[in-house]
């Protein structure tokens, strides 16, 4: 008997929700998706028991690396348990900002290698290259949306669905994933409850503030 495929991790699930299946472009800004991908990796690590959060700091609680090599990449940014002063860790907001691009790139590469996504290279004004990632495994993308819709109807009843919903909202994706106004409001409330999503939200808000104020 062939075993069922493993359940997608939060970063994988988020990517399947965030990309337009046909065109392969994210529904939100690229940078916001990068923040959300780092936040999703942090949330996955917390759900698996590898990290915790204290006063805005992400901290390792296990000395060994996770068996998932993509998640292990992010844990290397954190000090080992018991090192330094009590309660030492890394600012979750800063970690999301600094690790977002790397984390998003690793997961995009991994899903392309697995045949879930396809990488297309385009050129802006015929010069600057950029990538799009259309969904090849459309059944997986449809399943991700179905799971999300089912969790939303149930009020996001479990820690994993609440973490994902908060990340979707923090990145500005909620209006593209078939939610109604009440669902979007519920997702916004979850951001404060979920510290990885709160770190994403702070970075998104900072970028929007800088843009509206003429900053970089």
């Amino acid at each position: 008997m062939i075993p069922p495929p493993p359940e997608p991790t939060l970063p994988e699930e988020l990517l399947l929700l965030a990309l337009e299946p046909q065109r392969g472009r994210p529904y939100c800004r690229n940078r916001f998706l990068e923040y959300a991908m780092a936040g999703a990796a942090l949330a996955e690590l917390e759900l698996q028991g590898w990290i915790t959060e204290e006063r805005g700091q992400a901290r390792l609680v296990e000395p060994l690396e996770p068996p998932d090599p993509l998640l292990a990449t992010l844990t290397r940014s954190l000090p080992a348990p018991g090192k330094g002063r009590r309660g030492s860790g890394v600012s979750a907001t800063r970690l999301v900002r600094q690790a977002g691009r790397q984390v998003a790139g690793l997961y995009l590469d991994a899903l392309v290698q697995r045949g879930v996504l396809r990488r297309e290279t385009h050129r802006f004004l015929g010069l600057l290259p950029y990538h799009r990632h259309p969904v090849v495994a459309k059944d997986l993308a449809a399943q991700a949306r179905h799971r999300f819709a089912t969790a939303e109807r149930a009020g996001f009843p479990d820690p994993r669905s609440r973490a994902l919903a908060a990340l979707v909202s923090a990145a500005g994706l909620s209006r593209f994933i078939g939610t109604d106004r009440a669902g979007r409001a519920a997702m916004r409330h979850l951001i404060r409850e979920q510290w990885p999503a709160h770190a994403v939200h702070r970075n998104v808000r900072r970028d929007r503030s800088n843009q509206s104020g003429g900053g970089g």
Side-chain angles (χ1 to χ4, degrees):
M1 180 177 178
I2 299 175
E7 289 295 315
T9 61
L10 282 173
E12 293 167 342
E13 193 91 332
L14 183 65
L15 264 182
L16 290 173
L17 292 171
L19 294 174
E20 296 181 36
Q22 300 295 332
R23 300 175 65 187
R25 59 180 295 177
Y27 290 111
C28 63
R29 297 183 192 175
N30 284 327
R31 192 65 175 135
F32 295 175
L33 179 56
E34 291 170 359
Y35 297 151
M37 289 297 295
L42 290 173
E44 183 68 39
L45 285 165
E46 183 181 43
L47 287 169
Q48 293 187 17
W50 296 97
I51 68 171
T52 189
E53 180 268 346
E54 183 177 326
R55 298 179 182 178
Q57 303 278 309
R59 298 175 52 215
L60 280 174
V61 295
E62 292 287 343
L64 301 177
E65 289 189 349
D68 184 322
L70 301 184
L71 293 175
T73 299
L74 189 56
T75 63
R76 296 180 194 127
S77 303
L78 301 172
K83 299 293 185 181
R85 61 184 178 82
R86 184 179 181 273
S88 64
V90 176
S91 162
T93 301
R94 185 169 68 248
L95 185 58
V96 161
R97 191 168 197 89
Q98 293 177 345
R101 188 160 296 165
Q102 179 189 22
V103 171
L106 287 172
Y107 278 95
L108 284 168
D109 288 347
L111 292 188
V112 169
Q113 290 170 6
R114 285 166 47 190
V116 176
L117 304 176
R118 180 178 71 252
R119 176 163 292 149
E120 296 179 351
T121 301
H122 302 268
R123 291 188 178 274
F124 180 69
L125 298 178
L127 298 173
L128 301 176
Y130 65 93
H131 299 301
R132 290 284 182 257
H133 295 89
V135 177
V136 176
K138 292 182 172 54
D139 57 329
L140 296 182
Q143 290 167 19
R145 284 182 172 265
H146 176 72
R147 284 190 294 270
F148 192 86
T150 300
E152 182 185 3
R153 287 193 297 270
F156 302 112
D158 59 277
R160 182 170 292 273
S161 67
R162 288 197 295 274
L164 182 59
L167 289 161
V168 164
S169 184
L173 290 164
S174 57
R175 66 191 179 96
F176 301 102
I177 305 180
T179 58
D180 57 20
R181 184 174 298 177
R184 291 195 294 270
M187 292 161 65
R188 284 195 300 272
H189 288 302
L190 287 173
I191 293 175
R192 292 185 179 181
E193 172 191 311
Q194 303 290 326
W195 64 268
H198 185 62
V200 173
H201 178 67
R202 291 188 66 181
N203 280 295
V204 169
R205 187 173 58 188
R206 171 180 165 182
D207 285 8
R208 284 175 171 160
S209 178
N210 287 341
Q211 186 178 47
S212 63

